[in-house]
Amino acid sequence: MAQKRKAKGNNFFRFIKWFWILFGSGLLVAVLVFLLAGWGVFGEMPTFERLENPQTNLATEIISSDGLTLGKYYLDDNRTPVPYDSLPQNLVDALIATEDARYYDHAGIDARGFLRALAFLGKRGGASTISQQLARQLFIGVRDKESTTNAIFQKIKEWVIATRLERNYTKEEIIAMYLNIYDFGYAADGIRSAARIYFGKEPSGLRPEESAVLVGMLKNSSYYNPIRREELVLNRRNTVLGQMAKYEYLTEAEKDSLQNLRMDINFSPESHREGLGTYFRMYLQRWLNRWIEDNPKPDGSKYNIYLDGLKIFTTIDSRMQRNAEEAVEAHMKRLQAEFFVQNTPERNPTTPFLDLETFEIERIMERAIKSSARWRAMKRQGKSENEIRASFREKTEMTVFDWNSDSYEKDTIMTPMDSIRYYKTFLRAAMMSMEPQTGHIKAWVGGVDFKHFQYDNVYQGARQAGSTFKPFVYAAAIDQLRYSPCDSLPDTQYCIEPLKHGNPEAWCPKNSDGKYSLEKMTLKKGLANSVNTLTARLIDQVGPGSVVSIAKSMGITREMVEAPAIALGTPDMNVYEMVGAYGTFANQGVYVKPVAIARIEDKNGTVLYEYVPETKDVLSKDVAYTMINLMEGVTQYGSGGRLRHSFNKENTVYKEIITGYPYELNNPIAGKTGTTQNQSDGWFMGMVPNLVTGVWVGGEERSTHFRSLAYGQGASMALPIWAIYMKKNYQNEELGVSTDAFEEPEDLSINVDCTKILEERKEERDTEDDLDDLDF
């Protein structure tokens, strides 16, 4: 018996001995493995510097003056990090409850979770902590499923890096880093992009059920994607809500209520061709590329707008930008419908071109073919010219712009040649709005749809200014000759003789309607009604050189021939410079160069660039105010008078419905319409004391235009966009757009009140009549 007890004791001792040997050996092996992994035996490990500054590609963010994101520049990673304190608590709770319930109790490795996963082969949940998942995202990458050995080595590296991350960062920083690094699909890199793309909001605004959707996607964002598999994601969301209730982040009642909600996805994809301010973002991209060339990093390398996470603070107001885009859309859709009615093949066999010979149309089409993306692409592929031309005659499936379809697109089949002609039937538009006192650009719309019409007509485009150029002539005359708006000139045909002002032949401009009142007309009435004879007399008196000089002083950089014809707006201008120039009138004679970029910061908040205003005194306050007074006449009783009209349903005509007026704007407005030859271009420049806005409308080709002034004049094509935009602005009082009168200078030296002068002239005429009646 004693011998049996002794044998049993020896066995127990042997068991204990081997247990400790195996345990010690296991512990020693584990320590050795960790050391070997740390030394890089199983593959390269991140250095301390890389752990402190993990490399992630960050998108450059474009921020509006009212603090909203207008868009981003990125290649593969649309990522803009957010700090932990910008994350809603419900998102953090959902993450911990679902991914790592003991997150605050471990130092990177969850031993209990590991043993559970080992015992049940992962069927009751994995063992990866949030820190391990971050380590894999930052430094290891996709797990090797083909090689078990490699997978084991990757796991070991993951453990080592996770413990190092825990030593270098707080728990809160690790959570923020993990949510910022994760790819949620559809260019939603990081939690901020995901919240914006899937729910149309910032992360701080996420509700518990929305946070649960995004946390559920962390398991596999490609598989659990609400755009592809809505029902599957709904179930996954409810699982996350169940986990939140299990760990007491939600009550059972809250969980049940949230699980019964439908999944309200507001899918808002972010791309360079969609969203707010697309034309402005294209301009900004070109501006940044030039800035990068002249402003290297401290180490001499160049900034990368797609990877370096710059923050571009702009002057654009997102609310005014949206108003501008909606105004362009509302009017252009109506105007285009009428253009189609007037240019059916029956009414215009050469549609969309008017008054062109066959050879002229062929020349336009040939130029369009050779400048097309298809031609360039096939040239790069080494295709012969015959092959390329043949491809333009082959029908193919394509998606084209269409005002009457959802999202303004439709699928169709046509030849590339037909598509070129099809796109030339669409009228184009441009609009820019600026605060004259600061030069801050508030809205920028370069066309009707950036996805299909990528040419920016605000900055790249330049078209004849028409009568919107006349204020430069009037300004020169008032500045040099001290004319008053009440002064009169004859409205009779006027000729500038040959060889005067460098003109080889006599220049005898006609009024737009070919008629003359044959009476004296005040300058105010002459500008209000765009009377050409008065403008011709003025430029003859001051000379074209003076007009060019004053226009250049007001920011016009384009070449202008010093000839009398410029008085009627023959020079090509772009909307950008015209708005800047008109800002001089509204800003009491001081030109302020338009600016769109206020400040640039790097990803750490260091200021790299800050705008310094560029200003120039051009006109005296008296002259500038006199010009404002003249242009107020345009909107009071001239070509812009429809801004004031009231709506009369009984007398409404079809044209009024298409062009959208009357607008019933009663506040002080100064402005000028402009129409070029054959109605190829329609302009309107409108001003209130703290906002100057310019609008241009026309075809891509000058031969694409309306037949008559009824629809083709600036008052019909461009003015309605300005009016719709301003009415939208006035509906939002927070924007602070002025309804006040323009500030009149003290001791104004130029008489702008024509009432007294007219009364005096009437008295003179009455006296003369009385004398004529006397019988001597």
Side-chain angles (χ1 to χ4, degrees):
M1 184 72 72
Q3 197 170 4
K4 285 183 180 180
R5 280 200 298 269
K6 185 177 180 182
K8 191 179 289 186
N10 288 338
N11 289 338
F12 178 74
F13 176 77
R14 201 178 295 118
F15 172 78
I16 295 297
K17 175 184 175 183
W18 280 107
F19 170 81
W20 285 110
I21 289 174
L22 291 173
F23 178 80
S25 300
L27 191 62
L28 187 62
V29 168
V31 172
L32 183 62
V33 166
F34 265 73
L35 287 172
L36 291 173
W39 294 333
V41 173
F42 303 138
E44 184 183 0
M45 294 291 284
T47 63
F48 175 79
E49 288 75 16
R50 282 189 66 198
L51 283 172
E52 284 291 313
N53 300 283
Q55 295 299 310
T56 56
N57 295 334
L58 302 179
T60 287
E61 185 178 11
I62 308 158
I63 303 168
S64 68
S65 62
D66 53 321
L68 296 185
T69 299
L70 291 174
K72 300 177 186 178
Y73 300 125
Y74 61 91
L75 291 178
D76 299 316
D77 296 339
N78 176 21
R79 180 177 292 105
T80 304
V82 291
Y84 179 84
D85 56 14
S86 294
L87 300 174
Q89 189 60 44
N90 61 61
L91 177 66
V92 175
D93 294 343
L95 174 64
I96 292 173
T98 308
E99 296 293 322
D100 194 351
R102 288 177 291 279
Y103 176 66
Y104 290 107
D105 300 326
H106 62 67
I109 301 173
D110 182 5
R112 284 175 59 187
F114 173 70
L115 292 174
R116 183 196 65 221
L118 199 64
F120 296 99
L121 302 178
K123 292 180 180 179
R124 294 192 180 181
S128 288
T129 63
I130 293 172
S131 306
Q132 288 174 240
Q133 293 179 52
L134 175 60
R136 184 164 62 247
Q137 291 281 338
L138 283 175
F139 303 111
I140 296 174
V142 180
R143 187 170 296 162
D144 191 340
K145 295 183 179 179
E146 295 183 0
S147 171
T148 304
T149 303
N150 287 343
I152 291 172
F153 286 157
Q154 283 182 328
K155 193 67 179 176
I156 293 168
K157 288 169 64 178
E158 191 179 291
W159 287 339
V160 175
I161 296 170
T163 57
R164 290 183 177 180
L165 288 171
E166 290 273 352
R167 289 200 300 268
N168 283 277
Y169 297 98
T170 66
K171 291 286 187 180
E172 290 75 17
E173 288 172 332
I174 289 173
I175 286 176
M177 289 171 69
Y178 176 55
L179 290 173
N180 282 322
I181 197 67
Y182 193 81
D183 180 0
F184 289 86
Y186 287 101
D189 298 297
I191 191 62
R192 183 159 187 247
S193 293
R196 287 170 56 86
I197 288 173
Y198 291 111
F199 296 105
K201 59 178 66 175
E202 294 295 322
S204 58
L206 290 171
R207 299 193 298 269
E209 68 275 16
E210 294 168 338
S211 292
V213 170
L214 297 178
V215 168
M217 293 175 69
L218 296 172
K219 188 171 183 179
N220 184 330
S221 61
S222 179
Y223 187 68
Y224 293 99
N225 193 288
I227 307 305
R228 299 173 186 164
R229 300 179 180 89
E230 186 174 348
E231 187 174 347
L232 185 72
V233 176
L234 179 63
N235 293 333
R236 177 66 182 158
R237 179 203 72 174
N238 289 343
T239 298
V240 173
L241 293 171
Q243 287 293 106
M244 293 178 73
K246 176 181 177 181
Y247 291 102
E248 299 182 351
Y249 293 113
L250 294 174
T251 65
E252 284 296 320
E254 289 172 332
K255 179 204 74 171
D256 292 340
S257 174
L258 292 172
Q259 285 181 337
N260 286 326
L261 294 175
R262 67 184 184 88
M263 194 165 59
D264 190 14
I265 299 296
N266 178 17
F267 188 53
S268 308
E270 293 183 348
S271 76
H272 304 303
R273 294 189 175 193
E274 297 172 304
L276 204 60
T278 45
Y279 289 95
F280 168 71
R281 280 150 46 194
M282 182 176 71
Y283 160 80
L284 177 59
Q285 186 176 17
R286 292 194 303 269
W287 187 95
L288 285 171
N289 287 334
R290 292 194 300 271
W291 179 83
I292 284 168
E293 292 295 322
D294 300 330
N295 296 272
K297 294 180 182 179
D299 63 4
S301 63
K302 294 179 181 177
Y303 287 101
N304 189 317
I305 65 172
Y306 304 106
L307 305 176
D308 287 342
L310 301 177
K311 290 188 181 297
I312 315 298
F313 294 88
T314 73
T315 62
I316 298 291
D317 187 296
S318 69
R319 300 160 297 182
M320 297 174 78
Q321 178 68 30
R322 191 173 300 281
N323 289 346
E325 292 183 11
E326 289 176 355
V328 169
E329 177 185 338
H331 176 62
M332 293 305 295
K333 189 174 182 179
R334 287 196 298 256
L335 192 68
Q336 187 67 52
E338 176 59 24
F339 186 80
F340 282 146
V341 169
Q342 295 187 23
N343 284 274
T344 60
E346 294 76 22
R347 293 187 176 188
N348 179 17
T350 60
T351 186
F353 313 112
L354 271 176
D355 305 323
L356 290 188
E357 299 293 335
T358 302
F359 77 92
E360 294 175 302
I361 295 173
E362 289 174 350
R363 191 164 56 207
I364 289 173
M365 296 300 291
E366 177 69 10
R367 186 176 67 244
I369 288 170
K370 288 192 172 181
S371 62
S372 68
R374 172 181 285 268
W375 181 279
R376 294 194 301 270
M378 294 185 76
K379 272 288 186 185
R380 286 194 298 268
Q381 295 168 9
K383 302 290 185 182
S384 69
E385 187 164 319
N386 288 337
E387 289 177 305
I388 298 174
R389 290 188 182 279
S391 75
F392 276 86
R393 294 188 294 271
E394 295 174 2
K395 287 193 174 183
T396 183
E397 294 181 357
M398 60 179 71
T399 301
V400 298
F401 181 76
D402 179 44
W403 277 118
N404 297 317
S405 300
D406 293 339
S407 302
Y408 299 137
E409 286 185 330
K410 70 175 180 181
D411 295 327
T412 188
I413 298 175
M414 65 172 69
T415 68
M417 180 72 82
D418 288 339
S419 74
I420 289 174
R421 195 157 187 151
Y422 173 77
Y423 273 100
K424 286 188 181 295
T425 64
F426 286 95
L427 298 172
R428 315 300 167 88
M431 174 184 182
M432 193 180 98
S433 196
M434 183 193 80
E435 188 176 72
Q437 291 76 22
T438 62
H440 288 183
I441 298 171
K442 294 299 179 182
W444 179 307
V445 186
V448 295
D449 184 275
F450 181 75
K451 190 173 182 180
H452 291 275
F453 306 94
Q454 294 182 19
Y455 189 76
D456 176 24
N457 291 290
V458 167
Y459 194 80
Q460 290 177 300
R463 297 291 284 264
Q464 286 187 338
S467 293
T468 56
F469 190 84
K470 287 177 180 176
F472 301 125
V473 180
Y474 277 70
I478 292 169
D479 186 46
Q480 293 182 26
L481 307 175
R482 310 305 289 179
Y483 268 127
S484 159
C486 312
D487 288 329
S488 300
L489 294 172
D491 176 25
T492 57
Q493 181 151 27
Y494 185 79
C495 289
I496 297 178
E497 60 266 28
L499 303 180
K500 190 176 183 182
H501 304 308
N503 223 37
E505 299 176 356
W507 185 62
C508 307
K510 298 178 180 180
N511 287 335
S512 60
D513 58 1
K515 299 177 182 178
Y516 310 94
S517 66
L518 306 179
E519 296 179 353
K520 281 195 170 186
M521 182 180 292
T522 64
L523 296 188
K524 190 165 188 175
K525 186 176 181 181
L527 185 63
N529 293 287
S530 274
V531 179
N532 291 339
T533 56
L534 268 65
T535 312
R537 291 177 186 275
L538 291 176
I539 199 168
D540 187 25
Q541 292 177 26
V542 299
S546 297
V547 176
V548 169
S549 176
I550 209 165
K552 287 188 173 180
S553 295
M554 295 167 72
I556 303 298
T557 62
R558 295 187 173 271
E559 287 299 318
M560 291 174 279
V561 179
E562 293 185 8
I566 65 171
L568 305 187
T570 55
D572 285 348
M573 302 285 170
N574 66 17
V575 174
Y576 175 88
E577 290 189 350
M578 286 293 281
V579 170
Y582 269 65
T584 308
F585 299 130
N587 192 34
Q588 299 184 318
V590 179
Y591 169 74
V592 183
K593 186 177 180 179
V595 58
I597 301 92
R599 188 172 79 255
I600 300 175
E601 294 179 0
D602 67 12
K603 64 182 179 182
N604 299 314
T606 303
V607 176
L608 306 176
Y609 166 86
E610 199 150 22
Y611 167 71
V612 177
E614 296 181 40
T615 65
K616 184 177 183 180
D617 291 339
V618 180
L619 304 171
S620 69
K621 289 183 179 181
D622 288 7
V623 172
Y625 182 77
T626 302
M627 287 304 305
I628 289 293
N629 180 270
L630 278 166
M631 287 187 279
E632 283 183 310
V634 174
T635 67
Q636 289 166 350
Y637 47 77
S639 55
R642 65 183 65 185
L643 290 170
R644 310 294 190 183
H645 292 173
S646 297
F647 196 80
N648 186 335
K649 291 183 178 180
E650 294 180 1
N651 297 325
T652 299
V653 297
Y654 178 70
K655 180 169 68 69
E656 290 179 346
I657 296 172
I658 297 299
T659 57
Y661 76 91
Y663 299 103
E664 299 177 294
L665 291 167
N666 300 314
N667 55 292
I669 299 169
K672 186 71 191 80
T673 58
T675 310
T676 61
Q677 191 173 11
N678 296 327
Q679 301 79 240
S680 294
D681 307 277
W683 289 79
F684 183 70
M685 306 296 300
M687 296 176 282
V688 295
N690 64 350
L691 196 66
V692 177
T693 305
V695 183
W696 167 86
V697 174
E700 180 184 17
E701 305 292 336
R702 294 181 192 271
S703 54
T704 302
H705 57 80
F706 284 101
R707 289 184 181 275
S708 68
L709 282 170
Y711 294 97
Q713 63 178 305
S716 297
M717 290 212 293
L719 178 146
I721 293 175
W722 188 91
I724 297 168
Y725 169 67
M726 291 300 289
K727 286 179 76 71
K728 286 178 177 288
N729 287 340
Y730 285 134
Q731 288 169 5
N732 185 349
E733 293 182 1
E734 291 182 1
L735 296 177
V737 178
S738 176
T739 56
D740 297 333
F742 290 88
E743 183 180 350
E744 181 177 333
E746 294 182 9
D747 302 321
L748 180 63
S749 62
I750 301 173
N751 179 39
V752 296
D753 184 3
C754 301
T755 308
K756 292 181 180 179
I757 294 178
L758 291 174
E759 288 176 353
E760 289 173 0
R761 288 177 182 171
K762 185 176 183 301
E763 288 176 4
E764 289 175 2
R765 286 197 299 270
D766 290 343
T767 302
E768 290 174 359
D769 291 341
D770 290 342
L771 289 172
D772 290 340
D773 290 339
L774 291 175
D775 186 3
F776 293 102

